Amino acid sequence: MTSGSGRGRTRWWQRLFGRAAPEPLDPTRTDLVVVASCFDNVEACSTTLERAAHTDPLWSADDDVVLRHHLLLPADQIADAVSVAAQDGYSEATAGPMAQTPGHLPGGVSDATVLVLQRVQVLDALHCSQERSRMAGLAQRRDGVVLGWDALQPAAEDASPEH
């Protein structure tokens, strides 16, 4: 049983005694900030997440994130990609802060359109790597490429008073 203490997980005693689980993270919240991102195909998810745990804004491993994958696809492949990704709980991102995407887009994708797919989940290096591979396959089968991924969480409230 998971015993995480973050907003994204239910404590074991809450499940045992019937307390309601916390509300899932709403991807349309206006206070979401990018807490982790990677637009380098050779960087491991574990490296990105380790950096995110020590860089402001801090990534909280115990809490849900909005995991977003940025793809570059031919325009006529967008609807199919969204439909296939929906089978795994993804939807097209239409709001929220955008991560810093590369200054140049890879060539070779005709009539290129950027598609951002998102879903809410607890993020760790293994699952991040799995989803990254899944998105690479989704893009390749539609003559596209993956630009990178990012993760959003609510901005942390500063608990320390200013002096």
Short mmCIF file of all heavy atoms in Angstrom, two decimals, residues 2-3 5 10 35 41 46 48 51 60-61 93 98-99 111 113 115 117-118 127 141-142 145 153:
data_model
loop_
_atom_site.label_atom_id
_atom_site.label_comp_id
_atom_site.label_asym_id
_atom_site.label_seq_id
_atom_site.Cartn_x
_atom_site.Cartn_y
_atom_site.Cartn_z
N THR A 2 0.42 2.20 -0.68
CA THR A 2 1.15 3.46 -0.75
C THR A 2 0.85 4.28 0.49
O THR A 2 -0.28 4.36 0.93
CB THR A 2 0.73 4.24 -2.00
OG1 THR A 2 1.00 3.43 -3.13
CG2 THR A 2 1.49 5.53 -2.10
N SER A 3 1.89 4.85 1.02
CA SER A 3 1.67 5.67 2.22
C SER A 3 2.17 7.08 2.01
O SER A 3 2.65 7.72 2.93
CB SER A 3 2.36 5.03 3.42
OG SER A 3 3.75 4.95 3.18
N SER A 5 2.39 11.06 1.53
CA SER A 5 1.73 12.10 2.31
C SER A 5 1.30 13.29 1.48
O SER A 5 0.81 14.26 2.01
CB SER A 5 2.67 12.58 3.43
OG SER A 5 3.85 13.10 2.84
N THR A 10 -3.61 8.88 -1.24
CA THR A 10 -4.44 8.71 -0.06
C THR A 10 -3.63 7.94 0.98
O THR A 10 -3.03 6.92 0.68
CB THR A 10 -5.71 7.90 -0.41
OG1 THR A 10 -6.36 8.57 -1.48
CG2 THR A 10 -6.63 7.81 0.77
N VAL A 35 7.51 22.43 -13.14
CA VAL A 35 8.45 22.04 -12.09
C VAL A 35 9.55 21.12 -12.62
O VAL A 35 10.57 20.93 -11.95
CB VAL A 35 7.73 21.37 -10.89
CG1 VAL A 35 6.84 22.38 -10.18
CG2 VAL A 35 6.94 20.15 -11.32
N ASN A 41 16.72 14.61 -25.89
CA ASN A 41 16.41 13.19 -26.05
C ASN A 41 17.38 12.25 -25.34
O ASN A 41 17.03 11.10 -25.08
CB ASN A 41 16.36 12.82 -27.53
CG ASN A 41 15.13 13.36 -28.21
OD1 ASN A 41 14.10 13.57 -27.57
ND2 ASN A 41 15.23 13.60 -29.50
N SER A 46 15.44 10.24 -14.81
CA SER A 46 15.94 10.29 -13.43
C SER A 46 16.81 11.52 -13.20
O SER A 46 16.74 12.16 -12.15
CB SER A 46 16.71 9.02 -13.08
OG SER A 46 17.79 8.83 -13.98
N THR A 48 16.61 14.40 -14.91
CA THR A 48 15.72 15.56 -14.94
C THR A 48 14.98 15.71 -13.63
O THR A 48 14.89 16.81 -13.06
CB THR A 48 14.70 15.43 -16.09
OG1 THR A 48 15.41 15.27 -17.32
CG2 THR A 48 13.80 16.63 -16.17
N ARG A 51 17.22 16.88 -10.71
CA ARG A 51 17.45 18.32 -10.81
C ARG A 51 16.20 19.09 -10.36
O ARG A 51 16.29 20.09 -9.64
CB ARG A 51 17.85 18.70 -12.23
CG ARG A 51 18.17 20.16 -12.42
CD ARG A 51 18.66 20.51 -13.82
NE ARG A 51 17.73 20.13 -14.87
CZ ARG A 51 17.94 19.16 -15.75
NH1 ARG A 51 19.05 18.46 -15.73
NH2 ARG A 51 17.03 18.89 -16.67
N SER A 60 7.50 18.14 -6.27
CA SER A 60 7.14 17.30 -5.12
C SER A 60 6.81 15.91 -5.63
O SER A 60 5.79 15.70 -6.30
CB SER A 60 5.94 17.90 -4.38
OG SER A 60 5.52 17.01 -3.37
N ALA A 61 7.66 14.95 -5.32
CA ALA A 61 7.51 13.58 -5.81
C ALA A 61 6.26 12.88 -5.29
O ALA A 61 5.77 11.95 -5.91
CB ALA A 61 8.75 12.75 -5.45
N ALA A 93 -3.70 19.37 -24.45
CA ALA A 93 -3.54 20.51 -23.55
C ALA A 93 -3.92 21.78 -24.29
O ALA A 93 -3.44 22.02 -25.39
CB ALA A 93 -2.11 20.59 -23.06
N MET A 98 3.55 27.29 -20.86
CA MET A 98 4.30 26.47 -21.80
C MET A 98 5.75 26.42 -21.37
O MET A 98 6.32 27.43 -20.95
CB MET A 98 4.19 27.02 -23.23
CG MET A 98 2.78 27.00 -23.76
SD MET A 98 1.96 25.39 -23.65
CE MET A 98 2.68 24.57 -25.05
N ALA A 99 6.34 25.25 -21.48
CA ALA A 99 7.75 25.10 -21.16
C ALA A 99 8.58 25.75 -22.25
O ALA A 99 8.09 26.05 -23.33
CB ALA A 99 8.09 23.61 -21.05
N ASP A 111 4.22 19.96 -43.04
CA ASP A 111 3.02 20.58 -42.51
C ASP A 111 2.96 20.39 -40.98
O ASP A 111 1.97 19.95 -40.43
CB ASP A 111 1.78 19.99 -43.18
CG ASP A 111 0.52 20.79 -42.91
OD1 ASP A 111 0.65 21.99 -42.58
OD2 ASP A 111 -0.58 20.23 -43.00
N THR A 113 2.76 20.55 -37.01
CA THR A 113 1.92 21.17 -35.99
C THR A 113 2.37 20.64 -34.63
O THR A 113 2.58 19.44 -34.46
CB THR A 113 0.43 20.79 -36.21
OG1 THR A 113 0.04 21.23 -37.50
CG2 THR A 113 -0.45 21.43 -35.16
N LEU A 115 1.67 19.48 -31.01
CA LEU A 115 0.58 18.91 -30.22
C LEU A 115 1.11 18.66 -28.82
O LEU A 115 2.17 18.05 -28.66
CB LEU A 115 0.11 17.58 -30.84
CG LEU A 115 -0.86 16.75 -30.00
CD1 LEU A 115 -2.18 17.49 -29.79
CD2 LEU A 115 -1.09 15.39 -30.63
N LEU A 117 0.11 16.80 -25.39
CA LEU A 117 -0.79 15.84 -24.75
C LEU A 117 -0.49 15.82 -23.25
O LEU A 117 0.67 15.89 -22.85
CB LEU A 117 -0.59 14.44 -25.34
CG LEU A 117 -0.95 14.30 -26.80
CD1 LEU A 117 -0.46 12.95 -27.35
CD2 LEU A 117 -2.45 14.43 -27.00
N GLN A 118 -1.54 15.73 -22.43
CA GLN A 118 -1.35 15.77 -20.98
C GLN A 118 -2.23 14.76 -20.26
O GLN A 118 -3.27 14.36 -20.77
CB GLN A 118 -1.66 17.17 -20.46
CG GLN A 118 -3.13 17.53 -20.53
CD GLN A 118 -3.42 18.93 -20.05
OE1 GLN A 118 -2.53 19.76 -19.91
NE2 GLN A 118 -4.69 19.21 -19.77
N HIS A 127 8.12 5.56 -14.58
CA HIS A 127 6.90 5.84 -15.33
C HIS A 127 7.10 6.97 -16.34
O HIS A 127 6.51 6.96 -17.42
CB HIS A 127 5.74 6.13 -14.38
CG HIS A 127 5.34 4.91 -13.62
ND1 HIS A 127 5.70 4.73 -12.31
CD2 HIS A 127 4.66 3.81 -14.00
CE1 HIS A 127 5.24 3.55 -11.91
NE2 HIS A 127 4.61 2.97 -12.90
N ARG A 141 4.95 6.60 -35.51
CA ARG A 141 3.95 5.93 -36.35
C ARG A 141 3.11 6.93 -37.15
O ARG A 141 2.37 6.54 -38.05
CB ARG A 141 3.04 5.05 -35.49
CG ARG A 141 3.72 3.78 -35.02
CD ARG A 141 2.76 2.82 -34.34
NE ARG A 141 2.14 3.37 -33.15
CZ ARG A 141 2.66 3.36 -31.93
NH1 ARG A 141 3.86 2.84 -31.74
NH2 ARG A 141 2.00 3.86 -30.92
N ARG A 142 3.22 8.22 -36.82
CA ARG A 142 2.48 9.26 -37.53
C ARG A 142 3.43 10.24 -38.23
O ARG A 142 3.08 11.37 -38.48
CB ARG A 142 1.56 9.98 -36.55
CG ARG A 142 0.37 9.09 -36.23
CD ARG A 142 -0.29 9.42 -34.91
NE ARG A 142 -1.26 8.39 -34.63
CZ ARG A 142 -0.97 7.22 -34.06
NH1 ARG A 142 0.26 6.93 -33.71
NH2 ARG A 142 -1.92 6.32 -33.85
N VAL A 145 7.76 13.66 -34.57
CA VAL A 145 8.83 13.55 -33.58
C VAL A 145 8.34 14.08 -32.24
O VAL A 145 7.39 14.85 -32.17
CB VAL A 145 10.09 14.33 -34.01
CG1 VAL A 145 10.72 13.73 -35.25
CG2 VAL A 145 9.80 15.79 -34.20
N GLN A 153 2.90 21.45 -11.50
CA GLN A 153 2.29 21.31 -10.18
C GLN A 153 1.87 22.71 -9.72
O GLN A 153 2.39 23.71 -10.24
CB GLN A 153 3.27 20.70 -9.17
CG GLN A 153 3.48 19.22 -9.37
CD GLN A 153 4.42 18.62 -8.32
OE1 GLN A 153 5.40 19.22 -7.95
NE2 GLN A 153 4.10 17.41 -7.90
#
